[in-house]
């Protein structure tokens, strides 16, 4: 019974740790998603990109999350292979630094974080404030779970059970390496896995040598996580996490054999066992980052030979063209596979519209004919994708489909129409306004321009939410998307009122650009409405939308869960 109780407590502590890490990561992704995209895609120097990846992994507490983001950006043509791989290597180092921060004795901080996070999450109606409360609560739960883990292991340290396992792991370092790799992959979090190992070493439950083998294995296992999460991406994007696995995995194996064959564990004990384990983990990732980042661009050619394109003549732009990448014959596969194909095409449409929207403020600032022409071409790709989806869904064998599948297919076509309309907002309305602005030599006021930039950044955050909702029908994210729509309307309304006040004060720039400012606000609000449309069928199905508004009582119920 003692062993069963121990295993249950260990499992409970692990689940709480995993939940807490995910709570922090998803909260930060939703709150700062657009900023992350900007940081990860605007660099051309591999070491700078690696530094950006390190910073974001430290914030997100997950190198896998950054790797998945960079792989998606590479699939969309936003970042090159070398820069993306450098960012992933930097992210591995960043997640190692997180472990150092979380390993400190912060028990005194637990009640403060729980009180602050709970108050922010429960007492505010603003989505951004609630997300900050979610993040603070997640950090508090990480600290609680680590304390829970220490308390669970402490009573049986002197028993025969734990020392027997610890002795076996110490004597068979390769088995310990495999156990660490499997744990990291199954838990889908290297941070959680290594924190557990560090905690066990700190309290003397396992020896330092066994902990080191487990940590090296966790480095290998965590490299498999982004490969699994990006298995549906295009070939050119999947090369990035596989290249990271080859670099990180081979380095982990080399260090495993070097340390255990030469018996240099004692040389790595430069402090207490737990702290030395953290230093070894950070040092390992730092060395890999410094040695590999300098030649990441040279790995593109070998990876292209190892993983050739299915169609070598198709470029990045082809990934967004329905005409060049047809969906095929829906009758050749079952309804579920056909629907999955439509969703995949819609994901590419969302990404294409996002690529169109991202530089839209640049064309207001500069009279860039080439960028405007490129936006027009990209809009034609979106139109071609809509045509392809319509034809594909029209050929679906409805006699083999249930009513719910037919309704879902119709809903996907309707969303494709909304995405095409979102593309038109950028390529027609916003480019036309930009041309008029440059032709009339009008200027936005400093405050008005800031309001447009804030609105633009907020809308960008919704694209990743829309992709997630499209993939997994996540009710919480669907609610966030609709709540963001209300936030966009509020920001647009506040900007309009502020603009009118500037007109009353006789501000010259506001007079010159009055129509342009108001049209930009309307265009951005309309575009976000098209992107957020994917959320409504999910919310209707779950009973969280009544006619034209969200059931606000559900917000309170969610807060109480």
């Amino acid at each position: 019974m003692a062993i069963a109780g121990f295993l249950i407590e260990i499992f409970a502590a692990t689940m709480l740790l995993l939940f807490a890490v995910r709570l922090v990561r998803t909260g930060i992704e939703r709150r700062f998603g657009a900023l992350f995209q900007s940081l990860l895609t605007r660099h051309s120097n591999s070491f700078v990109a690696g530094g950006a990846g390190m910073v974001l992994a430290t914030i997100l507490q997950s190198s896998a999350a950054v790797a998945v983001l960079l792989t998606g950006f590479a699939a969309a043509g936003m970042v090159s292979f070398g820069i993306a791989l450098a960012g992933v290597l930097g992210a591995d180092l960043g997640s190692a630094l997180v472990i150092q921060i979380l390993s400190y004795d912060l028990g005194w901080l637990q009640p403060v974080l729980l009180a602050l996070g709970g108050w922010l999450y429960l007492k505010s109606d603003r989505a951004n404030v609630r997300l900050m409360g979610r993040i603070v609560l997640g950090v508090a739960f990480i600290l609680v779970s680590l304390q829970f883990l220490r308390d669970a292991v402490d009573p049986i340290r002197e028993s025969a059970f734990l020392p027997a396992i610890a002795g076996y792991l110490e004597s068979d370092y390769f088995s310990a390496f495999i156990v660490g790799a499997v744990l990291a992959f199954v838990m889908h979090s290297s941070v959680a896995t290594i924190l557990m190992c560090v905690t066990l070493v700190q309290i003397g439950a396992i020896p330092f040598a066994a902990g080191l083998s487990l940590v090296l294995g966790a480095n290998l296992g965590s490299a498999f996580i982004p490969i699994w999460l990006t298995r549906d991406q295009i070939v050119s994007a999947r090369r990035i996490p596989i290249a990271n696995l080859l670099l990180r995995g081979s380095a982990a194996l080399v260090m495993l054999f070097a340390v255990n064959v030469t018996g240099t564990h004692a040389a790595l004990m430069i402090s207490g066992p737990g702290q030395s384990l953290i230093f070894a983990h950070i040092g390992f990732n730092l060395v890999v980052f410094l040695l590999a980042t300098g030649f990441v661009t040279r790995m593109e050619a070998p990876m292209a030979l190892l993983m050739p394109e299915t169609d070598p003549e198709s470029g990045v732009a082809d990934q967004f063209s329905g005409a060049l990448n047809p969906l095929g014959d829906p009758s050749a596969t079952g309804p579920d596979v056909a629907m999955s194909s439509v969703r995949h095409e819609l994901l590419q449409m969302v990404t294409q519209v996002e690529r169109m929207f991202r530089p839209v403020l640049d064309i207001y600032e500069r009279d860039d004919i080439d960028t405007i022409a490129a936006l027009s071409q990209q809009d034609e790709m979106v139109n071609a994708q809509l045509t392809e989806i319509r034809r594909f869904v029209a050929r679906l064998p409805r006699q083999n489909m249930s009513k719910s599948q037919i309704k879902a297919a119709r809903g996907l076509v309707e969303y494709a129409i909304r995405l095409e309309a979102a593309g038109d907002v950028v390529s027609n309305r916003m480019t036309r306004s930009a041309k008029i602005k440059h032709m009339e030599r009008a200027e936005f006021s400093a405050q008005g321009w800031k309001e447009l930039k804030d609105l633009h950044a907020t809308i960008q955050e919704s694209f990743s939410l829309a992709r997630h909702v499209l993939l997994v029908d996540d009710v919480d994210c669907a609610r966030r998307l609709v709540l963001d729509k209300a936030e966009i309307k509020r920001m647009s309304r506040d900007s309009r009122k502020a603009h009118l006040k500037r007109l009353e004060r006789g501000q010259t720039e506001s007079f010159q650009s009055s129509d342009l400012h108001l049209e930009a606000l309307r265009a951005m609000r309309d575009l976000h409405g098209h992107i957020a449309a994917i959320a409504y069928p999910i919310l209707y199905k779950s009973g969280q939308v009544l006619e034209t508004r969200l059931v606000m009582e559900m917000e309170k119920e969610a807060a109480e869960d």
Side-chain angles (χ1 to χ4, degrees):
M1 288 300 293
I3 298 299
F6 165 73
L7 293 176
I8 291 173
E9 290 184 358
I10 287 290
F11 182 75
T14 303
M15 290 301 102
L16 180 58
L17 181 59
L18 288 175
F19 171 74
V21 170
R22 181 177 179 182
L23 200 66
V24 175
R25 184 175 68 247
T26 55
I28 293 175
E29 283 176 344
R30 294 174 188 177
R31 179 65 183 86
F32 304 105
L35 176 61
F36 291 171
Q37 180 171 308
S38 174
L39 285 174
L40 290 172
T41 58
R42 68 187 183 188
H43 305 293
S44 57
N45 181 284
S46 57
F47 281 97
V48 175
M54 179 184 69
V55 171
L56 294 188
T58 304
I59 296 171
L60 284 173
Q61 301 184 12
S62 172
S63 59
V66 177
V68 171
L69 284 173
L70 282 165
T71 302
F73 295 155
M78 302 175 193
V79 65
S80 66
F81 171 89
I83 297 300
L85 181 54
V88 174
L89 292 171
D92 294 334
L93 177 58
S95 68
L97 296 175
V98 169
I99 294 165
Q100 176 65 79
I101 297 169
L102 294 177
S103 66
Y104 292 125
D105 184 9
L106 300 174
W108 59 272
L109 199 55
Q110 292 177 17
V112 176
L113 294 179
L114 286 170
L116 177 62
W119 182 75
L120 290 174
Y121 188 79
L122 296 174
K123 297 300 181 181
S124 177
D125 294 328
R126 296 177 67 88
N128 288 340
V129 176
R130 287 172 58 83
L131 280 175
M132 291 305 299
R134 177 191 182 100
I135 295 166
V136 173
L137 280 173
V139 175
F141 289 153
I142 289 175
L143 300 178
V144 171
S145 66
L146 292 176
Q147 184 60 50
F148 191 8
L149 184 64
R150 294 187 189 98
D151 294 342
V153 173
D154 191 63
I156 68 165
R157 274 190 298 170
E158 305 302 327
S159 69
F161 171 71
L162 197 58
I165 295 178
Y168 173 74
L169 293 177
E170 185 178 22
S171 62
D172 189 348
Y173 59 84
F174 191 74
S175 293
F177 181 79
I178 298 301
V179 168
V182 171
L183 279 175
F185 182 77
V186 171
M187 293 171 69
H188 264 44
S189 173
S190 62
V191 171
T193 305
I194 296 172
L195 276 173
M196 181 186 299
C197 294
V198 169
T199 301
L200 293 174
V201 170
Q202 279 178 334
I203 64 175
I206 60 174
F208 175 78
L212 184 59
S213 298
L214 286 168
V215 166
L216 289 172
N219 277 277
L220 173 67
S222 64
F224 278 101
I225 299 171
I227 294 176
W228 174 257
L229 296 176
T230 61
R231 63 191 182 279
D232 294 329
Q233 293 277 12
I234 60 176
V235 174
S236 60
R238 285 190 284 119
R239 292 173 187 155
I240 295 161
I242 291 177
N244 178 60
L245 171 66
L246 294 176
L247 289 171
R248 199 176 181 193
S250 59
L253 280 170
V254 168
M255 185 170 178
L256 175 74
F257 288 112
V259 170
N260 287 281
V261 171
T262 60
T264 55
H265 301 100
L268 297 175
M269 286 278 288
I270 57 180
S271 182
Q275 186 60 61
S276 297
L277 191 61
I278 295 171
F279 285 154
H281 177 55
I282 294 174
F284 168 77
N285 283 279
L286 178 61
V287 170
V288 172
F289 173 74
L290 293 176
L291 293 180
T293 302
F295 62 87
V296 285
T297 54
R298 299 179 185 177
M299 289 193 65
E300 185 169 10
M303 292 304 301
L305 291 174
L306 182 65
M307 301 175 63
E309 295 276 3
T310 305
D311 180 6
E313 295 182 2
S314 64
V316 174
D318 296 351
Q319 304 303 325
F320 303 102
S321 172
L324 298 176
N325 184 26
L327 286 166
D329 183 6
S331 60
T333 57
D336 290 336
V337 176
M339 294 288 284
S340 178
S341 298
V342 176
R343 286 181 182 271
H344 179 70
E345 196 76 3
L346 282 171
L347 281 172
Q348 295 185 1
M349 285 186 75
V350 173
T351 302
Q352 178 69 341
V353 174
E354 182 183 13
R355 293 181 69 195
M356 294 174 64
F357 180 67
R358 192 182 318 111
V360 79
L361 292 183
D362 295 337
I363 65 174
Y364 278 99
E365 275 194 302
R366 297 182 298 273
D367 189 5
D368 191 340
I369 298 175
D370 292 337
T371 300
I372 292 176
L375 289 175
S376 179
Q377 292 176 355
Q378 291 169 349
D379 187 47
E380 290 177 4
M381 294 180 183
V382 175
N383 295 343
Q385 284 182 296
L386 172 60
T387 301
E388 186 70 22
I389 289 173
R390 278 173 163 167
R391 289 173 178 169
F392 184 84
V393 173
R395 298 198 307 270
L396 284 172
R398 282 170 170 71
Q399 66 275 11
N400 300 328
M401 298 173 64
S402 64
K403 290 183 178 180
S404 61
Q405 287 175 324
I406 294 173
K407 185 177 180 180
R410 190 182 305 121
L412 293 178
V413 172
E414 290 175 355
Y415 189 53
I417 294 171
R418 297 296 294 267
L419 291 175
E420 190 273 339
D424 287 344
V425 170
V426 177
S427 65
N428 295 334
R429 291 170 57 183
M430 303 193 80
T431 56
R432 183 173 63 247
S433 296
K435 289 177 181 178
I436 294 172
K437 177 181 179 293
H438 296 305
M439 189 167 50
E440 297 181 352
R441 298 185 178 180
E443 294 293 338
F444 294 118
S445 66
Q447 185 59 35
W449 181 241
K450 182 181 182 302
E451 291 162 4
L452 292 176
K453 287 174 67 177
D454 290 344
L455 195 60
H456 182 270
T458 304
I459 293 173
Q460 276 196 298
E461 295 178 9
S462 294
F463 282 98
S464 57
L465 274 178
R467 278 192 289 265
H468 182 71
V469 171
L470 186 59
L471 271 175
V472 297
D473 287 355
D474 189 317
V475 176
D476 289 337
C477 286
R479 281 186 61 85
R480 171 71 200 279
L481 204 50
V482 174
L483 291 171
D484 280 355
K485 183 178 178 181
E487 179 70 7
I488 293 295
K489 287 183 177 180
R490 183 195 64 77
M491 293 176 68
S492 178
R493 183 173 61 251
D494 291 348
S495 178
R496 187 172 63 250
K497 289 180 180 178
H499 175 73
L500 295 176
K501 289 181 179 178
R502 289 192 292 271
L503 290 178
E504 292 173 0
R505 293 195 300 267
Q507 200 163 330
T508 305
E509 295 92 340
S510 297
F511 274 109
Q512 292 176 342
S513 60
S514 180
D515 291 341
L516 297 173
H517 183 92
L518 296 176
E519 172 57 24
L521 291 176
R522 284 191 295 267
M524 289 189 187
R525 186 187 62 201
D526 292 347
L527 181 140
H528 186 272
H530 293 312
I531 300 301
I534 188 62
Y536 285 97
I538 298 167
L539 295 176
Y540 274 119
K541 189 188 301 183
S542 61
Q544 297 200 42
V545 171
L546 296 178
E547 297 297 332
T548 59
R549 60 178 296 175
L550 283 169
V551 182
M552 299 311 295
E553 288 76 15
M554 297 298 294
E555 188 75 33
K556 298 178 182 178
E557 292 178 12
E560 294 170 358
D561 289 341

